[in-house]
Amino acid sequence: MKDRIRYSLIYMGVLAALFAVIFTTQVFEDEMAEQLKIHLREKLHLVETAYTNNSLNENPQKLAPFASKELRITLIDSTGVILYDSDAEASKMENHFDRKEVVDAFAKGSGEDLRYSSTLQANAFYFAKRLNDGNVLRLGTRQASLQQAYSKTIPYLIVLLAAIVLAAILIAIGLSRAFISPLQKLVDQLGTPEQMNIENAYKEIAPLVNTIRKQDLELQLTIEQLSSEKQKISHLKDEFTANASHELKTPLTSISGYAELIENDMAKPEDVKMFAGKIHKEAKRLQSIANDIITLSKLNDLESEPFDLSEKINLWNLAHSCIEGLILNANKKSIQLSLDGDSSAEILGNSKLTYEMLFNLVDNAIRYTESGGKVVVLVEPNALVVKDTGIGIPEESQSRIFERFYRVDKSRSKETGGTGLGLAIVKHIAEVLHATIHLNSTVGFGTEIRINFNSFSKQNKVL
């Protein structure tokens, strides 16, 4: 793991260095090219002024003093014939009427182009301008002049790249050691959970370390009490320690405790049925968590199992079926569960997913509404609304209630039997259906959750 982190950081550093150098090079090259264009325009303006003031159109050869080894001057008449060229004999040159910069100069007043010049035997940048007498004055410079200036910066860029790579390697080595050191200490102490120290560990893994430490202590005690099943318990310990999570710990501990009392004849005969009921209840909770995890897994894996979203759904009928499935739970708590709204509202989507989303919302509302309260499902065009008179959600928790295993009141969640995944499933289904969720809740007054679906014509596809 240390090497993986180290190499990953080094790779990131090298890539960042390469990107920085390439970006710097590109910016420098673009800036140099722009400066070259500005220089040519300024030079052309000076030559144009001299051309006009001195009537050089009568003797184009007088343009020669303005040319240089790096600067080429060409004078072209309105038919494309070369009147003067500083780098070649004008009479032997071909007609330039079709040159891009010349075409643009005649049409727009000025033009520019970067191409290979057979006269200069090199790539050249040209800038041309139409003069008052109808001729075109063109200035050109070899791209080599730009490359020469650019090549001078290459050694500095190489040194910069090497320095960044070296710094990335040193930082990667230091950071990998800093990252792994606390984890390595915890790994070394796994065999002696009572000595595990989480003070120097990352705060994000402190709950996991506490869970592992507690479970290790409980499993070690079980091993001492059940020496005849030592090998089996050891296997369970390794498996449980590797896969345990905070949400599975409580039901597993309860099941283990009640089963042990019955197995060792420590339970009174009249309590056996109650203990069996407790075990059954916790097992159903584990099953619910497992089913919810499977559901979330399917929702997250849309490529292997796509959902058809082209089904025509009557929201009223779907909501009515959902209420029929939950009316018994509502009656047990004397909660008034009702349906209201538009009986003709329809959408395009997936009826199974939409039903499961609404079922989770209504079930959650029933769980967190006191006896004698009300839960209402409201059907609107392209929307489903679930309102309750429950305990409400604190404002600081409203942005997190759709997270997996997040609970506002953990003790109350255990009493209601919720898995902590219901609203997470709602969120993921909404994403699949391209729906949006809006939450409005006040502590002590209740909660309203609105699901807005896309317009009828936009959801006719398969995901």
Side-chain angles (χ1 to χ4, degrees):
M1 183 178 180
K2 182 189 294 185
D3 291 340
R4 182 178 297 177
I5 293 176
R6 181 177 299 169
Y7 290 139
S8 297
L9 291 173
I10 291 175
Y11 293 152
M12 290 177 63
V14 172
L15 289 176
L18 289 173
F19 176 79
V21 170
I22 293 172
F23 179 76
T24 302
T25 302
Q26 187 61 48
V27 170
F28 177 78
E29 187 174 355
D30 292 344
E31 181 63 23
M32 288 295 296
E34 187 61 30
Q35 291 298 322
L36 178 62
K37 293 178 182 179
I38 294 174
H39 172 73
L40 279 180
R41 292 189 186 102
E42 293 175 349
K43 193 70 174 178
L44 189 144
H45 179 70
L46 293 176
V47 176
E48 178 188 8
T49 302
Y51 178 90
T52 303
N53 294 339
N54 299 320
S55 299
L56 298 184
N57 57 329
E58 299 176 358
N59 189 4
Q61 295 298 326
K62 291 184 178 182
L63 291 171
F66 298 98
S68 65
K69 183 178 180 180
E70 291 78 20
L71 184 66
R72 177 187 179 185
I73 299 177
T74 307
L75 183 64
I76 307 168
D77 70 9
S78 59
T79 63
V81 175
I82 306 300
L83 301 176
Y84 170 77
D85 189 274
S86 61
D87 285 2
E89 187 175 342
S91 61
K92 295 182 179 180
M93 296 180 65
E94 59 184 13
N95 191 286
H96 275 42
F97 193 77
D98 61 345
R99 299 299 195 269
K100 182 180 182 302
E101 70 279 4
V102 177
V103 172
D104 290 343
F106 281 124
K108 304 175 184 178
S110 64
E112 59 184 42
D113 192 23
L114 175 64
R115 65 173 184 276
Y116 181 80
S117 171
S118 58
T119 303
L120 300 179
Q121 297 295 309
N123 286 332
F125 178 76
Y126 295 102
F127 185 77
K129 184 176 181 180
R130 187 181 68 242
L131 304 176
N132 293 333
D133 61 3
N135 294 334
V136 168
L137 180 63
R138 185 186 71 174
L139 270 61
T141 185
R142 292 178 177 84
Q143 193 180 30
S145 60
L146 173 62
Q147 294 173 341
Q148 289 172 0
Y150 168 67
S151 63
K152 294 179 181 179
T153 66
I154 292 296
Y156 298 101
L157 293 176
I158 293 175
V159 171
L160 174 62
L161 176 61
I164 295 177
V165 171
L166 179 60
I169 293 174
L170 295 177
I171 293 173
I173 293 174
L175 288 178
S176 62
R177 289 176 180 174
F179 290 159
I180 297 300
S181 179
L183 297 177
Q184 187 61 51
K185 291 180 180 179
L186 292 176
V187 172
D188 295 339
Q189 295 170 351
L190 281 177
T192 55
E194 67 280 356
Q195 298 179 7
M196 291 181 71
N197 182 9
I198 64 172
E199 293 180 358
N200 297 324
Y202 302 113
K203 64 180 181 179
E204 291 82 2
I205 65 171
L208 177 60
V209 175
N210 283 326
T211 299
I212 294 176
R213 178 166 58 182
K214 182 176 180 180
Q215 294 303 319
D216 278 350
L217 290 172
E218 292 178 355
L219 288 170
Q220 283 190 4
L221 179 61
T222 302
I223 291 172
E224 294 175 359
Q225 295 174 346
L226 304 172
S227 57
S228 62
E229 297 183 3
K230 182 177 180 179
Q231 185 175 1
K232 178 181 177 181
I233 296 299
S234 178
H235 174 72
L236 291 175
K237 172 191 172 183
D238 293 337
E239 184 177 294
F240 184 79
T241 302
N243 300 291
S245 68
H246 182 71
E247 298 302 325
L248 295 175
K249 181 187 70 175
T250 301
L252 282 175
T253 302
S254 298
I255 291 173
S256 177
Y258 289 124
E260 185 178 345
L261 290 175
I262 296 174
E263 180 184 26
N264 295 329
D265 296 326
M266 297 174 64
K268 298 178 181 179
E270 60 270 22
D271 292 335
V272 171
K273 184 175 181 180
M274 180 189 69
F275 289 166
K278 294 283 187 180
I279 293 173
H280 185 215
K281 178 182 177 181
E282 297 297 344
K284 288 180 66 177
R285 185 180 175 199
L286 286 174
Q287 186 178 25
S288 296
I289 294 175
N291 289 336
D292 285 348
I293 290 175
I294 292 173
T295 299
L296 284 172
S297 177
K298 290 180 179 179
L299 291 171
N300 287 330
D301 191 11
L302 298 178
E303 293 183 359
S304 62
E305 187 174 345
F307 294 101
D308 183 5
L309 304 184
S310 61
E311 185 178 353
K312 190 175 181 180
I313 304 169
N314 182 287
L315 293 179
W316 177 274
N317 294 339
L318 183 140
H320 187 268
S321 299
C322 181
I323 288 178
E324 285 185 339
L326 288 169
I327 191 66
L328 183 60
N329 291 351
N331 291 339
K332 287 180 180 179
K333 296 182 64 175
S334 300
I335 292 175
Q336 181 181 341
L337 180 59
S338 60
L339 174 64
D340 196 6
D342 185 357
S343 61
S344 62
E346 292 183 341
I347 63 168
L348 287 180
N350 184 289
S351 59
K352 182 178 179 181
L353 292 180
T354 307
Y355 179 88
E356 186 163 0
M357 177 171 59
L358 182 60
F359 187 95
N360 277 285
L361 287 174
V362 177
D363 182 54
N364 197 71
I366 294 172
R367 291 178 187 274
Y368 291 95
T369 298
E370 303 290 351
S371 297
K374 296 180 180 180
V375 176
V376 179
V377 178
L378 180 61
V379 178
E380 297 179 356
N382 295 322
L384 285 171
V385 184
V386 178
K387 301 180 180 179
D388 65 59
T389 59
I391 62 175
I393 304 167
E395 185 175 352
E396 63 272 15
S397 299
Q398 291 182 13
S399 62
R400 302 190 59 193
I401 62 169
F402 293 97
E403 296 178 8
R404 299 180 185 185
F405 296 116
Y406 181 80
R407 292 189 175 96
V408 177
D409 187 341
K410 295 184 179 180
S411 60
R412 183 180 181 89
S413 297
K414 293 177 182 178
E415 294 175 2
T416 62
T419 66
L421 293 172
L423 291 182
I425 291 175
V426 169
K427 174 186 175 183
H428 282 275
I429 291 178
E431 291 176 354
V432 172
L433 297 177
H434 306 294
T436 56
I437 304 175
H438 300 277
L439 171 68
N440 184 19
S441 183
T442 304
V443 175
F445 290 92
T447 300
E448 175 182 317
I449 297 180
R450 170 182 293 271
I451 306 295
N452 289 328
F453 299 95
N454 280 348
S455 60
F456 193 89
S457 62
K458 290 184 179 179
Q459 261 179 285
N460 54 350
K461 59 181 179 179
V462 175
L463 281 185

